Amino acid sequence: MKKLWKRCYLALILIFLYAPIATLMVLSFNSSKFMSKWTGFSLKWYRQLFESPLILSALKNTLLIAVLSALISTVIGTLACIGISRMKKVPRTVFMGINNIPMLNAEIVTGVSLMLVFIATGMTLGFQTILIGHITFNIPYVVLSVMPKLKQTQKSTYEAALDLGATPLYAFFKVVFPDLLPGILSGFLMAFTMSLDDFIITHFVKGAGINTLSTLIYSEVRKGVRPSLYALSTIMFLAVFLLLVLANLPKKNRGGNS
Amino acid sequence: MSKKALAGPYLVWMIGFTLIPLALVFYYGLTDASGAFTLENILAITSEERIGALWRSLKLSLFSTAACLLLAYPLAMILKGMSVSKNSFVVFVFILPMWMNFLLRTMAWQTLLDKNGVINSILGFFGLPGQNLINTQGAIVFGMVYNFLPFMVLPIYNALTKIGNDTIEAARDLGAGSLKTFTRIILPLSLPGIISGITMVFVPSLTTFVISDLLGGGMVLLIGNVIEQEFTFASNWNLGSGMSLVLMVFILISMAAFARYDKDGEGAAF
């Protein structure tokens, strides 16, 4: 009985989390432009999606910024973890404290503060400022996912490699890096996801003439968002869902899924 | 070369794009258009419209934080009990929605909460009267809970999974009942997770301008909306920065609470 209640509760939360996603998927096949009426099945929004240069360029910007910001923040963050782990207690606490600022600060404050610094230094708002903004809020996530893995690695194995004649760089890549890899990968994935889903910071640092998917959607909220954007979101969501399911399948089933 | 130098790029980046920008917010917030020191931008919060927006934001974000905590704690307990392998199912389920754009997901609730929407149709099916759900403060709290619930679930779940089963069994062996085990062992040990969850929900709820835009129909003004308008429409950076400084007082309070319980930087969500 108790188990049943638990399952019901879990199911209700999952419905709560996924109901809007299901709604958007259904509406992407709706032949009406309006969200509130179902007028029949249609694939026209999917067709229009590939004919809209505005959506395609926003998609390109979104993906490019997500990949680049995740890559750069992963490199900076991972290097930082190695450096920080060698520090004494006080500087280490200071560094980790700084790390918390972008995570705990309000996104709107991060957004306006970056906008002020870009304008004060005379940078043109555009692709590069969005990229810098995204790297800034992504680095802390990478640090937080790599740091615990680094704490688990044993210094003695690295030192043993050095004693056996490995150069520090070789020893790092052969001994330490494989242990860090899961943390680095999850940090990268987290950064990529956060970048993809960001609206607030992008809104303040983007300038005129460039859009990511989020800002394009926001600009269309008043007059009604084109259902092609639901269609695009549906495709992206399903693609990631399938990828993650495939990646998590037990090895023996993998062959049958081509 | 010392290994510590590897943290160099990180330090430069954080100073250049986190600390200096924040200092700039202080500078603009405490000066007027000519650059002279003034407290006017901060005191501007006392205007009727702005102080109203601040109270409304505080009220709605407290409601949403409380609702998230009440929903998330039992959920985290259930997830812990399911003994699924960590970092797979749980993170998967709560991060996956982020792959559908956050604005679209929030807008979808308009359809669901609409007068002729799905929720009212279900109510109507059971013979219950339709409710006016959209464009209310309730709808905004609902949107906040929807968007920020994962940020409460994940840290609490992480804190709970760190409690060893032997600790709980020891309490049982020493004669503690279920309730006592919960109040004396599980709850205190999960406190860091609760605190970090509260921070991670309270701050974005307090400062949002998007959720009130999307689900309040432009009729509910929050402090986030006030700041956003100063920067994008009015272009009064001094006033906008002043308002941001007021907001930061509340953010700093919650950061201080976070830092007290998160001494080694391990309690954070991910």
Side-chain angles (χ1 to χ4, degrees), chain A residues 213-240:
Chain A
L213 286 174
S214 295
T215 59
L216 181 66
I217 291 165
Y218 190 71
S219 70
E220 291 190 357
V221 164
R222 298 256 177 270
K223 55 180 191 233
V225 174
R226 267 176 292 182
S228 292
L229 287 162
Y230 311 159
L232 179 58
S233 295
T234 303
I235 295 174
M236 286 169 68
F237 181 83
L238 289 179
V240 172

PDB file of all heavy atoms in Angstrom, chain A residues 213-240:
ATOM      1  N   LEU A 213      17.674  30.713 -30.116  1.00  0.00           N
ATOM      2  CA  LEU A 213      16.286  30.238 -30.133  1.00  0.00           C
ATOM      3  C   LEU A 213      15.478  30.884 -29.015  1.00  0.00           C
ATOM      4  O   LEU A 213      14.354  31.318 -29.226  1.00  0.00           O
ATOM      5  CB  LEU A 213      16.252  28.713 -30.012  1.00  0.00           C
ATOM      6  CG  LEU A 213      16.665  27.956 -31.274  1.00  0.00           C
ATOM      7  CD1 LEU A 213      16.731  26.472 -31.003  1.00  0.00           C
ATOM      8  CD2 LEU A 213      15.687  28.246 -32.411  1.00  0.00           C
ATOM      9  N   SER A 214      16.089  30.988 -27.811  1.00  0.00           N
ATOM     10  CA  SER A 214      15.366  31.576 -26.677  1.00  0.00           C
ATOM     11  C   SER A 214      14.924  33.002 -26.957  1.00  0.00           C
ATOM     12  O   SER A 214      13.772  33.362 -26.735  1.00  0.00           O
ATOM     13  CB  SER A 214      16.245  31.594 -25.429  1.00  0.00           C
ATOM     14  OG  SER A 214      16.544  30.306 -25.020  1.00  0.00           O
ATOM     15  N   THR A 215      15.845  33.826 -27.462  1.00  0.00           N
ATOM     16  CA  THR A 215      15.491  35.229 -27.661  1.00  0.00           C
ATOM     17  C   THR A 215      14.526  35.374 -28.839  1.00  0.00           C
ATOM     18  O   THR A 215      13.676  36.252 -28.837  1.00  0.00           O
ATOM     19  CB  THR A 215      16.737  36.104 -27.892  1.00  0.00           C
ATOM     20  OG1 THR A 215      17.428  35.624 -29.029  1.00  0.00           O
ATOM     21  CG2 THR A 215      17.663  36.080 -26.697  1.00  0.00           C
ATOM     22  N   LEU A 216      14.638  34.487 -29.824  1.00  0.00           N
ATOM     23  CA  LEU A 216      13.687  34.522 -30.937  1.00  0.00           C
ATOM     24  C   LEU A 216      12.280  34.215 -30.424  1.00  0.00           C
ATOM     25  O   LEU A 216      11.309  34.902 -30.769  1.00  0.00           O
ATOM     26  CB  LEU A 216      14.094  33.496 -32.009  1.00  0.00           C
ATOM     27  CG  LEU A 216      13.196  33.436 -33.240  1.00  0.00           C
ATOM     28  CD1 LEU A 216      13.282  34.728 -34.028  1.00  0.00           C
ATOM     29  CD2 LEU A 216      13.554  32.259 -34.139  1.00  0.00           C
ATOM     30  N   ILE A 217      12.177  33.194 -29.581  1.00  0.00           N
ATOM     31  CA  ILE A 217      10.878  32.835 -29.017  1.00  0.00           C
ATOM     32  C   ILE A 217      10.323  33.996 -28.194  1.00  0.00           C
ATOM     33  O   ILE A 217       9.165  34.375 -28.331  1.00  0.00           O
ATOM     34  CB  ILE A 217      11.000  31.559 -28.157  1.00  0.00           C
ATOM     35  CG1 ILE A 217      11.286  30.349 -29.039  1.00  0.00           C
ATOM     36  CG2 ILE A 217       9.737  31.327 -27.341  1.00  0.00           C
ATOM     37  CD1 ILE A 217      11.766  29.132 -28.296  1.00  0.00           C
ATOM     38  N   TYR A 218      11.181  34.602 -27.377  1.00  0.00           N
ATOM     39  CA  TYR A 218      10.726  35.695 -26.510  1.00  0.00           C
ATOM     40  C   TYR A 218      10.204  36.860 -27.349  1.00  0.00           C
ATOM     41  O   TYR A 218       9.213  37.493 -27.002  1.00  0.00           O
ATOM     42  CB  TYR A 218      11.868  36.160 -25.606  1.00  0.00           C
ATOM     43  CG  TYR A 218      11.432  37.109 -24.511  1.00  0.00           C
ATOM     44  CD1 TYR A 218      10.681  36.652 -23.440  1.00  0.00           C
ATOM     45  CD2 TYR A 218      11.766  38.460 -24.559  1.00  0.00           C
ATOM     46  CE1 TYR A 218      10.274  37.505 -22.436  1.00  0.00           C
ATOM     47  CE2 TYR A 218      11.369  39.331 -23.554  1.00  0.00           C
ATOM     48  CZ  TYR A 218      10.623  38.846 -22.486  1.00  0.00           C
ATOM     49  OH  TYR A 218      10.224  39.703 -21.492  1.00  0.00           O
ATOM     50  N   SER A 219      10.885  37.132 -28.478  1.00  0.00           N
ATOM     51  CA  SER A 219      10.459  38.264 -29.304  1.00  0.00           C
ATOM     52  C   SER A 219       9.115  37.984 -29.967  1.00  0.00           C
ATOM     53  O   SER A 219       8.451  38.896 -30.438  1.00  0.00           O
ATOM     54  CB  SER A 219      11.525  38.579 -30.355  1.00  0.00           C
ATOM     55  OG  SER A 219      11.564  37.548 -31.317  1.00  0.00           O
ATOM     56  N   GLU A 220       8.720  36.705 -30.016  1.00  0.00           N
ATOM     57  CA  GLU A 220       7.449  36.372 -30.678  1.00  0.00           C
ATOM     58  C   GLU A 220       6.316  36.138 -29.701  1.00  0.00           C
ATOM     59  O   GLU A 220       5.179  35.892 -30.114  1.00  0.00           O
ATOM     60  CB  GLU A 220       7.640  35.124 -31.554  1.00  0.00           C
ATOM     61  CG  GLU A 220       8.513  35.385 -32.764  1.00  0.00           C
ATOM     62  CD  GLU A 220       8.504  34.228 -33.745  1.00  0.00           C
ATOM     63  OE1 GLU A 220       7.854  33.199 -33.459  1.00  0.00           O
ATOM     64  OE2 GLU A 220       9.148  34.349 -34.799  1.00  0.00           O
ATOM     65  N   VAL A 221       6.623  36.227 -28.394  1.00  0.00           N
ATOM     66  CA  VAL A 221       5.601  35.888 -27.396  1.00  0.00           C
ATOM     67  C   VAL A 221       4.355  36.757 -27.548  1.00  0.00           C
ATOM     68  O   VAL A 221       3.235  36.256 -27.533  1.00  0.00           O
ATOM     69  CB  VAL A 221       6.170  36.002 -25.969  1.00  0.00           C
ATOM     70  CG1 VAL A 221       5.062  36.047 -24.941  1.00  0.00           C
ATOM     71  CG2 VAL A 221       7.086  34.829 -25.679  1.00  0.00           C
ATOM     72  N   ARG A 222       4.554  38.058 -27.734  1.00  0.00           N
ATOM     73  CA  ARG A 222       3.407  38.968 -27.770  1.00  0.00           C
ATOM     74  C   ARG A 222       2.465  38.662 -28.940  1.00  0.00           C
ATOM     75  O   ARG A 222       1.269  38.640 -28.798  1.00  0.00           O
ATOM     76  CB  ARG A 222       3.887  40.410 -27.866  1.00  0.00           C
ATOM     77  CG  ARG A 222       4.702  40.845 -26.680  1.00  0.00           C
ATOM     78  CD  ARG A 222       3.923  41.739 -25.717  1.00  0.00           C
ATOM     79  NE  ARG A 222       4.759  42.056 -24.567  1.00  0.00           N
ATOM     80  CZ  ARG A 222       4.815  41.328 -23.464  1.00  0.00           C
ATOM     81  NH1 ARG A 222       4.074  40.256 -23.330  1.00  0.00           N
ATOM     82  NH2 ARG A 222       5.621  41.671 -22.476  1.00  0.00           N
ATOM     83  N   LYS A 223       3.065  38.449 -30.147  1.00  0.00           N
ATOM     84  CA  LYS A 223       2.198  38.242 -31.308  1.00  0.00           C
ATOM     85  C   LYS A 223       1.860  36.765 -31.541  1.00  0.00           C
ATOM     86  O   LYS A 223       1.157  36.441 -32.479  1.00  0.00           O
ATOM     87  CB  LYS A 223       2.851  38.860 -32.553  1.00  0.00           C
ATOM     88  CG  LYS A 223       4.245  38.359 -32.834  1.00  0.00           C
ATOM     89  CD  LYS A 223       4.831  39.019 -34.085  1.00  0.00           C
ATOM     90  CE  LYS A 223       6.073  38.299 -34.470  1.00  0.00           C
ATOM     91  NZ  LYS A 223       7.280  38.813 -34.692  1.00  0.00           N
ATOM     92  N   GLY A 224       2.349  35.898 -30.684  1.00  0.00           N
ATOM     93  CA  GLY A 224       2.076  34.474 -30.853  1.00  0.00           C
ATOM     94  C   GLY A 224       3.263  33.775 -31.483  1.00  0.00           C
ATOM     95  O   GLY A 224       3.693  34.152 -32.566  1.00  0.00           O
ATOM     96  N   VAL A 225       3.780  32.768 -30.787  1.00  0.00           N
ATOM     97  CA  VAL A 225       4.970  32.060 -31.265  1.00  0.00           C
ATOM     98  C   VAL A 225       4.594  31.151 -32.426  1.00  0.00           C
ATOM     99  O   VAL A 225       3.561  30.488 -32.405  1.00  0.00           O
ATOM    100  CB  VAL A 225       5.587  31.225 -30.116  1.00  0.00           C
ATOM    101  CG1 VAL A 225       6.728  30.386 -30.635  1.00  0.00           C
ATOM    102  CG2 VAL A 225       6.052  32.142 -29.013  1.00  0.00           C
ATOM    103  N   ARG A 226       5.442  31.156 -33.467  1.00  0.00           N
ATOM    104  CA  ARG A 226       5.186  30.280 -34.605  1.00  0.00           C
ATOM    105  C   ARG A 226       5.289  28.814 -34.184  1.00  0.00           C
ATOM    106  O   ARG A 226       6.277  28.426 -33.565  1.00  0.00           O
ATOM    107  CB  ARG A 226       6.229  30.527 -35.695  1.00  0.00           C
ATOM    108  CG  ARG A 226       5.790  31.540 -36.709  1.00  0.00           C
ATOM    109  CD  ARG A 226       6.894  31.804 -37.670  1.00  0.00           C
ATOM    110  NE  ARG A 226       7.993  32.484 -37.005  1.00  0.00           N
ATOM    111  CZ  ARG A 226       9.098  32.879 -37.632  1.00  0.00           C
ATOM    112  NH1 ARG A 226       9.249  32.599 -38.902  1.00  0.00           N
ATOM    113  NH2 ARG A 226      10.041  33.509 -36.988  1.00  0.00           N
ATOM    114  N   PRO A 227       4.319  28.001 -34.535  1.00  0.00           N
ATOM    115  CA  PRO A 227       4.382  26.587 -34.149  1.00  0.00           C
ATOM    116  C   PRO A 227       5.605  25.879 -34.720  1.00  0.00           C
ATOM    117  O   PRO A 227       5.975  24.817 -34.226  1.00  0.00           O
ATOM    118  CB  PRO A 227       3.092  26.005 -34.723  1.00  0.00           C
ATOM    119  CG  PRO A 227       2.171  27.168 -34.811  1.00  0.00           C
ATOM    120  CD  PRO A 227       3.029  28.342 -35.154  1.00  0.00           C
ATOM    121  N   SER A 228       6.253  26.446 -35.727  1.00  0.00           N
ATOM    122  CA  SER A 228       7.488  25.836 -36.241  1.00  0.00           C
ATOM    123  C   SER A 228       8.524  25.716 -35.125  1.00  0.00           C
ATOM    124  O   SER A 228       9.350  24.808 -35.128  1.00  0.00           O
ATOM    125  CB  SER A 228       8.073  26.676 -37.369  1.00  0.00           C
ATOM    126  OG  SER A 228       7.232  26.618 -38.476  1.00  0.00           O
ATOM    127  N   LEU A 229       8.464  26.666 -34.172  1.00  0.00           N
ATOM    128  CA  LEU A 229       9.409  26.599 -33.062  1.00  0.00           C
ATOM    129  C   LEU A 229       9.077  25.437 -32.122  1.00  0.00           C
ATOM    130  O   LEU A 229       9.972  24.836 -31.537  1.00  0.00           O
ATOM    131  CB  LEU A 229       9.434  27.927 -32.311  1.00  0.00           C
ATOM    132  CG  LEU A 229      10.152  29.037 -33.079  1.00  0.00           C
ATOM    133  CD1 LEU A 229       9.807  30.403 -32.545  1.00  0.00           C
ATOM    134  CD2 LEU A 229      11.656  28.818 -33.043  1.00  0.00           C
ATOM    135  N   TYR A 230       7.769  25.101 -32.000  1.00  0.00           N
ATOM    136  CA  TYR A 230       7.426  23.884 -31.230  1.00  0.00           C
ATOM    137  C   TYR A 230       7.988  22.675 -31.950  1.00  0.00           C
ATOM    138  O   TYR A 230       8.487  21.739 -31.331  1.00  0.00           O
ATOM    139  CB  TYR A 230       5.916  23.669 -31.098  1.00  0.00           C
ATOM    140  CG  TYR A 230       5.096  24.839 -30.645  1.00  0.00           C
ATOM    141  CD1 TYR A 230       3.730  24.868 -30.906  1.00  0.00           C
ATOM    142  CD2 TYR A 230       5.652  25.894 -29.937  1.00  0.00           C
ATOM    143  CE1 TYR A 230       2.939  25.925 -30.494  1.00  0.00           C
ATOM    144  CE2 TYR A 230       4.871  26.948 -29.531  1.00  0.00           C
ATOM    145  CZ  TYR A 230       3.522  26.975 -29.818  1.00  0.00           C
ATOM    146  OH  TYR A 230       2.750  28.007 -29.417  1.00  0.00           O
ATOM    147  N   ALA A 231       7.848  22.713 -33.290  1.00  0.00           N
ATOM    148  CA  ALA A 231       8.316  21.579 -34.088  1.00  0.00           C
ATOM    149  C   ALA A 231       9.814  21.375 -33.886  1.00  0.00           C
ATOM    150  O   ALA A 231      10.271  20.261 -33.633  1.00  0.00           O
ATOM    151  CB  ALA A 231       8.004  21.823 -35.564  1.00  0.00           C
ATOM    152  N   LEU A 232      10.561  22.486 -33.940  1.00  0.00           N
ATOM    153  CA  LEU A 232      12.009  22.396 -33.755  1.00  0.00           C
ATOM    154  C   LEU A 232      12.340  21.866 -32.363  1.00  0.00           C
ATOM    155  O   LEU A 232      13.193  20.982 -32.198  1.00  0.00           O
ATOM    156  CB  LEU A 232      12.639  23.779 -33.963  1.00  0.00           C
ATOM    157  CG  LEU A 232      14.152  23.856 -33.768  1.00  0.00           C
ATOM    158  CD1 LEU A 232      14.847  22.900 -34.724  1.00  0.00           C
ATOM    159  CD2 LEU A 232      14.647  25.270 -33.984  1.00  0.00           C
ATOM    160  N   SER A 233      11.652  22.381 -31.340  1.00  0.00           N
ATOM    161  CA  SER A 233      11.910  21.919 -29.982  1.00  0.00           C
ATOM    162  C   SER A 233      11.598  20.437 -29.833  1.00  0.00           C
ATOM    163  O   SER A 233      12.307  19.715 -29.141  1.00  0.00           O
ATOM    164  CB  SER A 233      11.056  22.696 -28.980  1.00  0.00           C
ATOM    165  OG  SER A 233      11.445  24.029 -28.981  1.00  0.00           O
ATOM    166  N   THR A 234      10.525  20.010 -30.487  1.00  0.00           N
ATOM    167  CA  THR A 234      10.160  18.590 -30.438  1.00  0.00           C
ATOM    168  C   THR A 234      11.284  17.738 -31.024  1.00  0.00           C
ATOM    169  O   THR A 234      11.693  16.741 -30.432  1.00  0.00           O
ATOM    170  CB  THR A 234       8.852  18.353 -31.213  1.00  0.00           C
ATOM    171  OG1 THR A 234       7.843  19.178 -30.646  1.00  0.00           O
ATOM    172  CG2 THR A 234       8.432  16.900 -31.142  1.00  0.00           C
ATOM    173  N   ILE A 235      11.792  18.166 -32.190  1.00  0.00           N
ATOM    174  CA  ILE A 235      12.864  17.402 -32.829  1.00  0.00           C
ATOM    175  C   ILE A 235      14.088  17.334 -31.910  1.00  0.00           C
ATOM    176  O   ILE A 235      14.662  16.265 -31.668  1.00  0.00           O
ATOM    177  CB  ILE A 235      13.269  18.047 -34.178  1.00  0.00           C
ATOM    178  CG1 ILE A 235      12.099  17.978 -35.158  1.00  0.00           C
ATOM    179  CG2 ILE A 235      14.493  17.354 -34.757  1.00  0.00           C
ATOM    180  CD1 ILE A 235      12.356  18.704 -36.461  1.00  0.00           C
ATOM    181  N   MET A 236      14.475  18.514 -31.340  1.00  0.00           N
ATOM    182  CA  MET A 236      15.669  18.542 -30.491  1.00  0.00           C
ATOM    183  C   MET A 236      15.493  17.677 -29.256  1.00  0.00           C
ATOM    184  O   MET A 236      16.385  16.931 -28.861  1.00  0.00           O
ATOM    185  CB  MET A 236      15.985  19.984 -30.070  1.00  0.00           C
ATOM    186  CG  MET A 236      16.563  20.807 -31.195  1.00  0.00           C
ATOM    187  SD  MET A 236      16.628  22.557 -30.813  1.00  0.00           S
ATOM    188  CE  MET A 236      17.853  22.582 -29.530  1.00  0.00           C
ATOM    189  N   PHE A 237      14.313  17.779 -28.651  1.00  0.00           N
ATOM    190  CA  PHE A 237      14.053  17.007 -27.429  1.00  0.00           C
ATOM    191  C   PHE A 237      14.127  15.511 -27.718  1.00  0.00           C
ATOM    192  O   PHE A 237      14.798  14.765 -27.003  1.00  0.00           O
ATOM    193  CB  PHE A 237      12.676  17.372 -26.878  1.00  0.00           C
ATOM    194  CG  PHE A 237      12.325  16.657 -25.615  1.00  0.00           C
ATOM    195  CD1 PHE A 237      12.782  17.130 -24.398  1.00  0.00           C
ATOM    196  CD2 PHE A 237      11.557  15.507 -25.637  1.00  0.00           C
ATOM    197  CE1 PHE A 237      12.472  16.473 -23.232  1.00  0.00           C
ATOM    198  CE2 PHE A 237      11.248  14.843 -24.474  1.00  0.00           C
ATOM    199  CZ  PHE A 237      11.704  15.329 -23.267  1.00  0.00           C
ATOM    200  N   LEU A 238      13.460  15.087 -28.792  1.00  0.00           N
ATOM    201  CA  LEU A 238      13.444  13.654 -29.112  1.00  0.00           C
ATOM    202  C   LEU A 238      14.843  13.152 -29.462  1.00  0.00           C
ATOM    203  O   LEU A 238      15.217  12.043 -29.085  1.00  0.00           O
ATOM    204  CB  LEU A 238      12.470  13.374 -30.255  1.00  0.00           C
ATOM    205  CG  LEU A 238      10.989  13.509 -29.866  1.00  0.00           C
ATOM    206  CD1 LEU A 238      10.096  13.240 -31.069  1.00  0.00           C
ATOM    207  CD2 LEU A 238      10.640  12.558 -28.720  1.00  0.00           C
ATOM    208  N   ALA A 239      15.615  13.992 -30.175  1.00  0.00           N
ATOM    209  CA  ALA A 239      16.972  13.586 -30.543  1.00  0.00           C
ATOM    210  C   ALA A 239      17.808  13.315 -29.289  1.00  0.00           C
ATOM    211  O   ALA A 239      18.467  12.280 -29.180  1.00  0.00           O
ATOM    212  CB  ALA A 239      17.629  14.670 -31.394  1.00  0.00           C
ATOM    213  N   VAL A 240      17.737  14.253 -28.314  1.00  0.00           N
ATOM    214  CA  VAL A 240      18.516  14.073 -27.092  1.00  0.00           C
ATOM    215  C   VAL A 240      18.011  12.876 -26.303  1.00  0.00           C
ATOM    216  O   VAL A 240      18.785  12.075 -25.777  1.00  0.00           O
ATOM    217  CB  VAL A 240      18.433  15.346 -26.223  1.00  0.00           C
ATOM    218  CG1 VAL A 240      19.061  15.101 -24.873  1.00  0.00           C
ATOM    219  CG2 VAL A 240      19.122  16.484 -26.917  1.00  0.00           C
TER     220      VAL A 240
END
